[in-house]
């Protein structure tokens, strides 16, 4: 409180008056206000920032560093072992991006669930069900009633209505809106249209997420049991829609190009400018905001170095992908469409987790659920919402991987789809124990698994070796997670 300007008696009378103190606090500089709350406002030099990062590594905060080092080692290893030079070729590297995009997108959605300390084992078959509805609508010429049969169609519509009611009960407004769109598209119907079919697939994913979130968060059933049961149930629904041994082809140019098409050279460089410029703007704005508030900000030189590194790497990748990589007389060039799709989803997911109240609540629930509840966070709503997000991402991933193979089979979303998606999130650095991870972890982990599968396939390794290596990689990632958490706990003490 500011020193009194009147007599002692007058000052004593005004001792409990909050107004002078409030005015003084508002007038004080940001650095002074931050200091009052014990926030470190000391500016860091580049050497101090590097030492701080190394200290964090020693304390177990490894982040995505092991996955990045592993990815670099895999590229070097497979390039050296592949005597024919196929692995490092532009055609194979672009194909690698397209092959792993679907599972990577599913992994990005799973990050939200893992951050709360839960698991979604049904994400794989949920994606398969969304893909099956999309493909069935295309093959049936828009007549889902005739393709499903009256009984199945009515039951499907009732499930959608139930999802709307549950979303409203949980106050997940976006979930209720997308589920309502699914009901409208289902009941009213529409002629074959790839954009509306993709929208329907995403809406079906949201419906599935509302059901899963209600059972886990509101009813209180363990997520492992619920999602395992739904994994089996959705597999049965897929079989009912497609038929045992059947296959639904995606013979639409728009759907085919989602995972197989490429941007033109001009639009590839436009994407580079937008992505690199956006990254630079975000980092510089964050640094300026922290300095303006009197908080610790990274040294300007270090920030500029990070921006320069990302811009150079992105420019090299764009330059390579805009070269002709087609075999023989076939011309193939440009950045694959899946690249901007993954980038948009990663930026959106990162913004939600880093810059919104919902994202802070997700980390809080994953860190300590009871503490979050006592702090006034609606834990039930947060836990239910992450399953809705996971299922929506799973549906988008289904669109991508179905586009890549050009069809939807009864095994869509089953088998290794879920295992690789969970593995991608964990390998990238997302903790299985909740509270720690980022959307970018799933992208890095997805790149690691895609590289392993692609490289071993080019070397002619049998499926047994591929499964074994993937299992060992996932086991190592889980081990690193456990050890780093143990190290962090020791350093806190």
């Amino acid at each position: 409180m500011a020193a009194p300007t009147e007599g002692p008696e007058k000052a004593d009378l005004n001792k409990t008056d909050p107004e002078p103190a409030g005015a003084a606090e508002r007038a004080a500089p940001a650095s002074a206000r931050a200091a009052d709350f014990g926030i470190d406002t000391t500016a860091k030099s580049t050497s101090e920032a590097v030492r701080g990062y190394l200290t964090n590594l020693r304390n177990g905060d490894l982040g995505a560093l092991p996955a990045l080092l592993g990815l670099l080692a895999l590229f070097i290893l497979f390039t050296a072992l592949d005597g024919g030079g196929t692995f490092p070729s532009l055609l194979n590297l672009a194909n690698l991006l397209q092959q792993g995009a679907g599972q990577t997108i599913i992994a990005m959605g799973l990050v939200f669930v893992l951050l709360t300390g839960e698991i979604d084992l049904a994400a794989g078959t949920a994606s398969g069900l969304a893909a099956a509805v999309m493909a069935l609508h295309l093959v049936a010429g828009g007549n889902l009633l005739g393709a499903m049969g009256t009984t199945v169609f009515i039951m499907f519509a009732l499930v959608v209505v139930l999802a709307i009611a549950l979303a409203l009960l949980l106050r997940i407004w976006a979930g209720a809106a997308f589920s309502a769109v699914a009901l409208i598209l289902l009941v009213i119907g529409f002629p074959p249209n790839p954009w509306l079919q993709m929208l329907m697939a995403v809406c079906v994913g949201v419906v599935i997420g509302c059901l899963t979130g209600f059972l886990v968060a509101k009813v209180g059933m363990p997520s492992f049991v619920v999602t395992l049961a739904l994994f089996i149930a959705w597999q049965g629904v897929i079989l009912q829609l497609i038929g045992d041994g059947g296959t639904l082809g995606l013979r639409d140019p728009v759907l085919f190009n989602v995972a197989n098409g490429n941007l033109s050279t001009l639009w590839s460089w436009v994407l580079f400018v937008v992505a690199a410029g956006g990254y630079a703007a975000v980092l510089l704005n964050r640094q300026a905001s922290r300095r303006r508030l009197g908080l610790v900000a990274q040294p300007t030189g270090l920030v500029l170095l990070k921006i320069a590194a990302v811009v150079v790497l992105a420019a090299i990748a764009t330059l390579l992908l805009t070269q002709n990589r087609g075999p023989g007389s076939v011309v193939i060039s440009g950045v694959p469409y899946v690249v901007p799709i993954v980038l948009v989803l990663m930026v959106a997911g990162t913004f939600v987790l880093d810059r919104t109240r919902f994202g802070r609540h997700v980390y809080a629930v994953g860190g300590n659920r009871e503490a979050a509840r006592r702090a006034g966070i609606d834990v039930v709503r947060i836990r239910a919402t992450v399953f809705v997000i996971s299922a929506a991402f799973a549906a988008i991933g289904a669109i991508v991987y179905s586009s890549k193979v050009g069809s939807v089979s009864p095994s869509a979303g089953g088998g290794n789809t879920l295992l690789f998606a969970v593995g991608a999130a964990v390998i990238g650095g997302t903790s299985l124990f909740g509270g720690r991870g980022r959307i970018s972890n799933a992208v890095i982990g997805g790149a690691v698994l895609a590289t392993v599968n692609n490289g071993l396939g080019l070397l002619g390794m049998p499926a047994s070796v591929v499964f074994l290596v993937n299992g060992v990689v996932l086991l190592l990632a889980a081990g690193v997670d456990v050890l780093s958490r143990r190290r962090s706990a020791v350093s806190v003490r």
Side-chain angles (χ1 to χ4, degrees), residues 79-91:
T79 300
L81 294 178
D82 183 15
T86 303
F87 177 80
S89 67
L90 293 180
L91 180 62

Side-chain angles (χ1 to χ4, degrees), residues 12-389:
D12 289 339
L13 292 175
N14 291 334
K15 186 175 296 185
T16 59
D17 185 2
E19 283 304 316
E25 289 174 358
R26 288 192 296 270
S31 58
R33 295 200 305 271
D36 288 341
F37 287 91
I39 301 175
D40 184 8
T41 59
T42 304
K44 283 186 178 180
S45 64
T46 301
S47 59
E48 289 173 335
V50 172
R51 284 198 300 270
Y53 176 72
L54 295 177
T55 300
N56 290 337
L57 291 180
R58 287 195 296 269
N59 291 338
D61 187 9
L62 301 179
L65 181 62
L68 289 172
L69 294 178
L71 183 60
L72 178 62
L74 288 171
F75 264 89
I76 296 174
L77 176 64
F78 286 131
T79 300
L81 294 178
D82 183 15
T86 303
F87 177 80
S89 67
L90 293 180
L91 180 62
N92 183 62
L93 293 180
N95 188 52
L96 190 152
L97 295 174
Q98 295 168 325
Q99 284 180 334
Q103 294 171 345
T104 298
I105 293 172
I106 299 176
M108 292 164 70
L110 284 170
V111 168
F112 285 86
V113 175
L114 294 176
L115 284 175
T116 60
E118 305 287 356
I119 187 68
D120 187 2
L121 298 177
T125 51
S127 70
L129 178 54
V133 173
M134 176 184 70
L136 188 63
H137 187 278
L138 175 65
V139 172
N143 184 13
L144 278 179
L145 175 60
M148 290 183 176
T150 304
T151 302
V152 175
F153 183 85
I154 293 176
M155 292 180 63
F156 196 87
L158 290 176
V159 170
V160 176
V161 172
L162 176 61
I164 297 173
L166 295 180
L168 293 174
L169 177 64
L170 295 168
R171 296 186 298 113
I172 306 176
W173 313 124
F178 275 94
S179 299
V181 172
L183 183 63
I184 293 172
L185 293 175
L186 186 68
V187 174
I188 296 179
F190 59 95
N193 182 296
W195 301 103
L196 290 179
Q197 285 157 351
M198 287 188 282
L199 174 61
M200 172 174 276
V202 175
C203 292
V204 169
V206 172
V207 167
I208 294 172
C210 291
L211 299 176
T212 309
F214 176 80
L215 293 174
V216 173
K218 192 68 175 179
V219 179
M221 299 174 66
S223 60
F224 181 87
V225 175
V226 171
T227 56
L228 178 60
L230 292 178
F231 172 87
I232 301 171
W234 301 143
Q235 188 69 68
V237 177
I238 295 172
L239 284 171
Q240 174 65 36
L241 296 180
I242 300 179
D244 193 7
T247 300
L248 301 178
L250 296 178
R251 296 181 178 86
D252 182 273
V254 175
L255 293 176
F256 176 81
N257 284 329
V258 169
N260 299 285
N262 303 284
L263 296 171
S264 66
T265 300
L266 174 61
W267 282 107
S268 297
W269 284 108
V270 170
L271 174 65
F272 160 74
V273 172
V274 172
Y279 179 77
V282 169
L283 258 62
L284 293 174
N285 179 67
R286 180 180 302 174
Q287 187 201 35
S289 297
R290 294 185 67 85
R291 288 184 177 276
R292 187 170 59 252
L293 295 173
L295 304 177
V296 172
Q298 290 186 336
T300 303
L302 188 59
V303 173
L304 294 177
L305 182 62
K306 290 171 62 176
I307 293 174
V310 171
V311 170
V312 169
L313 290 176
I316 293 174
T318 304
L319 178 62
L320 293 176
L321 290 173
T322 51
Q323 306 301 311
N324 179 28
R325 55 182 181 270
S329 59
V330 179
V331 178
I332 303 176
S333 63
V335 175
Y337 285 138
V338 295
V339 173
I341 292 174
V342 170
L343 283 178
V344 168
L345 293 174
M346 184 177 70
V347 170
T350 302
F351 175 82
V352 169
L353 289 176
D354 289 356
R355 295 292 182 177
T356 66
R357 179 184 299 178
F358 170 78
R360 292 191 293 271
H361 289 179
V362 168
Y363 282 108
V365 171
N368 191 318
R369 187 181 302 172
E370 180 59 22
R373 185 189 66 79
R374 295 192 177 196
I377 295 175
D378 190 345
V379 175
V380 171
R381 182 168 177 260
I382 296 297
R383 293 176 66 206
T385 303
V386 295
F387 283 97
V388 176
I389 295 174

